[in-house]
Amino acid sequence: MRLLRTPDDRFTDLPDFPFEPRYVELDDPHGGVIRVGYVEAGPADGPPVLLLHGEPSWSYLYRKMLPVLAAAGLRAIAPDLVGFGRSDKPGDMVDHTYARHVEWMRGFAFDALDLRDVTLVGQDWGGLIGLRLVAEHPARFARVVASNTGLPTGDHDMPAVWHAFREAIEKAQVLDVSRFVQSGCKSPLPAEVRAAYDAPFPNEMYKAAPRAMPGLVPYRPDNPASAANRDAWKVLTELDLPFLVAFSDGDPITGGLAPVLQASLKGAQGLTHPVIAGAGHFLQEDAGEELAEHVVRFILG
């Protein structure tokens, strides 16, 4: 596997992101060692909150939530998915599969950090990966927060806006990462924030992951990940873990999944599920502090 590593100087002077970068190294079962970058805030012995981002962002997306969680005494941990942020970047699209991304985050959370009694916060691909981890390793988790995400099996078609996004990514000669992040936000992003979203990708060589991810979503029933997601869905529907559905009111991609999660999952029954007003797909960007407060109340009561 051909691995690329974004130069450190790409990450200098990031606005509102004072967190010290940390790294773990994972032995990849397909050969080689992959470095995963992450940031964390809060007491090291606090209840762990695993914050998983999606496509095409990175842990920078959680900069508004980390201080709120830390102030509540929680250990907030935000890794960069492999191929994003400060993590190593497999340079060929074929190196990116749904199963590998699940395994990489499993290795990060359990092998490297040995996290237990975890609260998952997953948005976009952070949910697609994180919900698989919950279903396959339920003893490691205490509760789940799903935000603008789901666990598609390919048995139901994705919305037209998602297909348009996938085609735009596939056809783009130059992939403008920050433009796609901005398109998923209700609030305008300042130039320096857009630059922070572009920082992990010095040129097109580094963008195999954001280019590959849309095509890995199971949008047909015979997708390579469909069977594993069906199995995970069966586990999740019967799991007793408390499951909070905290979606925005302005996400055309995943908005229809909120009532499905609330109605289908045993752990979601009897909870009051917040709807975050005025936020888009990347609700951490539009309303990060508000989402973090919901997470704090969910954990601490």
Side-chain angles (χ1 to χ4, degrees):
M1 188 161 47
R2 183 173 59 94
L3 293 175
L4 304 173
R5 183 169 294 175
T6 303
D8 289 341
D9 61 11
R10 296 279 299 181
F11 300 102
T12 56
D13 301 323
L14 296 172
D16 302 317
F17 201 62
F19 310 100
E20 190 71 25
R22 306 180 184 213
Y23 301 96
V24 300
E25 291 189 339
L26 306 178
D27 291 322
D28 186 77
H30 300 90
V33 175
I34 293 181
R35 191 178 77 166
V36 175
Y38 69 106
V39 295
E40 67 171 77
D45 60 351
V49 183
L50 181 63
L51 305 158
L52 296 185
H53 71 84
E55 150 85 352
S57 63
W58 60 293
S59 59
Y60 183 75
L61 182 68
Y62 283 105
R63 71 192 182 283
K64 298 177 182 179
M65 295 182 63
L66 287 161
V68 177
L69 300 174
L74 304 173
R75 181 188 178 192
I77 303 159
D80 297 324
L81 299 183
V82 171
F84 297 86
R86 291 187 173 97
S87 291
D88 284 348
K89 297 168 181 65
D92 299 309
M93 287 179 61
V94 295
D95 291 326
H96 295 275
T97 69
Y98 197 143
R100 282 187 178 184
H101 278 278
V102 171
E103 173 59 21
W104 286 326
M105 282 298 101
R106 186 207 63 77
F108 167 79
F110 305 148
D111 294 346
L113 297 191
D114 194 26
L115 299 179
R116 299 175 186 275
D117 296 320
V118 180
T119 297
L120 169 73
V121 177
Q123 182 263 340
D124 189 89
W125 262 100
L128 272 73
I129 294 169
L131 292 177
R132 281 277 298 274
L133 291 177
V134 172
E136 294 167 11
H137 309 276
R140 290 278 189 161
F141 291 89
R143 62 190 67 78
V144 180
V145 180
S147 295
N148 291 359
T149 191
L151 192 68
T153 62
D155 298 315
H156 304 281
D157 198 9
M158 300 289 286
V161 65
W162 180 84
H163 283 287
F165 168 75
R166 176 177 60 83
E167 291 171 8
I169 293 283
E170 288 176 353
K171 294 177 180 178
Q173 286 191 329
V174 176
L175 185 57
D176 190 340
V177 168
S178 63
R179 183 175 72 84
F180 281 107
V181 175
Q182 175 65 86
S183 71
C185 300
K186 293 290 187 181
S187 52
L189 302 182
E192 60 270 22
V193 171
R194 291 185 60 150
Y197 282 113
D198 287 325
F201 309 107
N203 57 52
E204 296 306 300
M205 285 197 314
Y206 289 78
K207 298 177 185 177
R211 285 190 179 277
M213 294 303 260
L216 302 183
V217 175
Y219 61 94
R220 293 190 303 262
D222 60 346
N223 185 276
S226 292
N229 278 16
R230 286 189 200 102
D231 291 342
W233 185 254
K234 291 175 184 175
V235 173
L236 292 171
T237 56
E238 293 300 320
L239 211 53
D240 282 325
L241 289 180
F243 196 109
L244 189 71
V245 181
F247 276 46
S248 71
D249 65 351
D251 183 12
I253 297 176
T254 67
L257 297 175
V260 175
L261 292 170
Q262 291 178 30
S264 303
L265 302 183
K266 185 176 181 180
Q269 307 310 305
L271 298 179
T272 300
H273 301 282
V275 177
I276 297 174
H281 180 63
F282 294 109
L283 71 173
Q284 306 98 314
E285 190 65 57
D286 288 325
E289 296 90 349
E290 182 180 349
L291 176 58
E293 288 165 4
H294 286 297
V295 174
V296 169
R297 283 194 291 270
F298 182 46
I299 297 173
L300 301 181

